[in-house]
Amino acid sequence: MRSVRESCRSRTHRSTWPASARVYRQGVRARNAAGRAAAHTRRFPGPALQAGAGAGRSLLVRDNYRRGGDGQSVEWSFDAIDHEWLVKFVEHRIGDRRVVRLIQQWLAAGVMENGEWAASAMGSPQGATVSPLLANVYLLYVLDLWVHRWRTSQARGDVIIVRYADDFIVGFEHRSDAERFQQELRERLATFRLELHPTKTRLIAFGKFALLRRRERGQVGTPETFNFLGLTHICGRPRAGRFLLRRHTERRRLTAKLREVKTELQRRRHFSIPEQGRWLRAVVRGHTAYYGVPTNAHRVRAFRTQVARLWHRSLDRRSQRGRRPWSRMRRLVDRWLPMPHLDHPWPEQRFDGRTQGKSPVR
């Protein structure tokens, strides 16, 4: 009598397999799905994804795309930190009273305005090296820990948050969660004398199904975009027809950087060409190192092209002997301005960290 495995190999269609083989394969699929869900829970604490939601992929390109808040920013500065709350937060982590007392003295140092000293009951010193650190400690307790508790106890679906300094975006699986979270977040921040930025805070539909939902409501055009950390995030669609997250350099940032390069070239106009070339090489290389993300190659190349044109115009104005031909200028550009390349991997590769034991990074 042949075994179940041998009989399965001899059949050409799964519908003709023995019932025991089909049950066995269904059990294997269920165990694999459970393992992926458990791995996601260890990597990203919060509500587990539903089956087939792509738990092994990154937060930005997961299959069950969310409705998210666009570029929310806490409207505050270093002078909006409440000293009493900040000292409580520091004491929660630091037991050395000498360090706490030093921070209190730092906060009470006051500010200088027009050459006159003024005491301050709130905020941290402007320009001090400790101010960004204290601001992050403040937002850790005011925002980060509260969001983690909220999404594990009150959210109906999955919730993700990405924060850098006072800018953050929050993604939700259900719109009802997003609306309720936004209202409760305002109340939470008001408790600590903070508020959301009125122009940067938006509630938009973004993700894999945003275009489909938009057409179902009878709306025309593409889904809304949002800016975060200098990149414009766009709901794209490649040739295969699937969803693709596109990230382009924010137009305002690109224009401002080119204007800054133009001003600096005017100041360095009479420097030697090697000195100008070395400086421009560092500018282009630094720009590419930050903005060289997938789907942004054309914007990075455009920045190099515009820098070359600004350099050409600046060199032509060094004397009255006429314009420098582009045949000569191209040799300078090829020598000093490096060709842009994408330094950053795709999001699913960056966030798919594994240890030596093949277990996900927690």
Side-chain angles (χ1 to χ4, degrees):
M1 184 177 181
R2 294 187 302 176
S3 62
V4 173
R5 180 175 299 179
E6 293 175 352
S7 61
C8 292
R9 291 177 178 174
S10 63
R11 308 302 176 100
T12 59
H13 196 272
R14 293 183 179 180
S15 60
T16 61
W17 286 8
S20 57
R22 292 197 298 269
V23 172
Y24 172 77
R25 291 185 63 84
Q26 292 174 1
V28 171
R29 294 195 192 99
R31 286 194 299 272
N32 292 340
R36 289 192 296 269
H40 165 78
T41 304
R42 292 192 299 268
R43 295 175 65 187
F44 310 109
L49 293 177
Q50 298 177 357
R57 306 182 68 188
S58 75
L59 297 177
L60 293 177
V61 294
R62 207 174 278 163
D63 290 341
N64 59 337
Y65 256 72
R66 290 115 171 127
R67 305 170 182 267
D70 158 33
Q72 299 186 89
S73 176
V74 180
E75 187 179 24
W76 76 324
S77 58
F78 292 127
D79 58 356
I81 298 179
D82 187 277
H83 288 182
E84 182 179 356
W85 279 111
L86 179 58
V87 172
K88 290 181 180 179
F89 297 154
V90 172
E91 289 177 342
H92 185 263
R93 289 298 184 93
I94 300 178
D96 193 340
R97 294 299 306 173
R98 294 172 297 179
V99 177
V100 177
R101 188 161 52 249
L102 178 61
I103 293 177
Q104 289 175 332
Q105 294 175 357
W106 209 321
L107 295 175
V111 294
M112 293 288 293
E113 294 183 359
N114 299 326
E116 297 183 359
W117 177 85
S120 59
M122 294 184 60
S124 59
Q126 291 282 354
T129 56
V130 75
S131 294
L133 177 61
L134 295 178
N136 268 317
V137 171
Y138 198 77
L139 283 182
L140 170 66
Y141 287 91
V142 174
L143 180 65
D144 299 347
L145 298 180
W146 178 80
V147 170
H148 178 68
R149 180 175 58 84
W150 190 92
R151 71 179 182 181
T152 55
S153 60
Q154 302 186 38
R156 293 177 50 241
D158 199 8
V159 179
I160 61 173
I161 179 172
V162 180
R163 180 177 74 86
Y164 181 83
D166 61 339
D167 292 327
F168 62 96
I169 56 175
V170 190
F172 301 88
E173 189 175 357
H174 303 291
R175 187 180 184 86
S176 59
D177 284 347
E179 296 173 347
R180 186 159 47 91
F181 175 85
Q182 189 174 19
Q183 178 61 31
E184 296 183 14
L185 178 60
R186 294 183 187 276
E187 299 173 359
R188 170 73 176 181
L189 295 179
T191 305
F192 300 92
R193 302 184 182 183
L194 302 176
E195 62 181 359
L196 293 176
H197 198 284
T199 59
K200 289 186 178 181
T201 304
R202 290 186 299 157
L203 184 63
I204 64 173
F206 186 89
K208 182 177 181 179
F209 304 104
L211 181 59
L212 179 61
R213 301 291 184 267
R214 191 178 184 87
R215 291 177 178 175
E216 291 177 352
R217 293 192 298 267
Q219 299 177 350
V220 296
T222 58
E224 296 181 76
T225 63
F226 67 91
N227 299 322
F228 186 62
L229 300 183
L231 293 170
T232 301
H233 295 68
I234 307 170
C235 294
R237 186 183 298 273
R239 295 180 180 179
R242 300 179 180 179
F243 176 79
L244 176 65
L245 174 67
R246 296 188 179 276
R247 292 176 292 173
H248 297 167
T249 306
E250 188 178 344
R251 188 181 300 274
R252 180 174 55 87
R253 296 281 188 94
L254 182 61
T255 304
K257 186 61 179 180
L258 290 174
R259 190 180 300 113
E260 179 184 340
V261 171
K262 179 181 178 181
T263 303
E264 187 64 21
L265 279 174
Q266 293 175 355
R267 193 182 69 85
R268 298 171 179 255
R269 177 172 298 168
H270 297 286
F271 287 18
S272 64
I273 290 181
E275 290 179 338
Q276 295 186 25
R278 283 190 292 267
W279 174 72
L280 289 175
R281 175 190 294 171
V283 171
V284 174
R285 186 175 297 169
H287 184 88
T288 305
Y290 184 85
Y291 292 101
V293 299
T295 70
N296 194 36
H298 65 291
R299 288 288 178 92
V300 177
R301 288 194 297 264
F303 177 79
R304 179 181 180 270
T305 301
Q306 294 302 323
V307 168
R309 291 179 177 178
L310 292 176
W311 194 19
H312 183 215
R313 188 178 305 173
S314 177
L315 293 178
D316 285 345
R317 295 185 178 182
R318 298 211 303 181
S319 65
Q320 304 292 333
R321 291 184 297 181
R323 295 178 58 87
R324 183 184 303 267
W326 265 106
S327 58
R328 181 181 175 187
M329 189 65 199
R330 287 194 185 93
R331 292 196 296 267
L332 294 178
V333 171
D334 294 339
R335 178 181 179 183
W336 295 107
L337 301 187
M339 289 298 298
H341 56 277
L342 303 183
D343 294 333
H344 300 277
W346 288 90
E348 61 265 30
Q349 298 174 358
R350 178 183 297 277
F351 291 103
D352 192 21
R354 299 276 173 171
T355 61
Q356 292 183 355
K358 302 294 182 66
S359 62
V361 176
R362 301 183 181 180

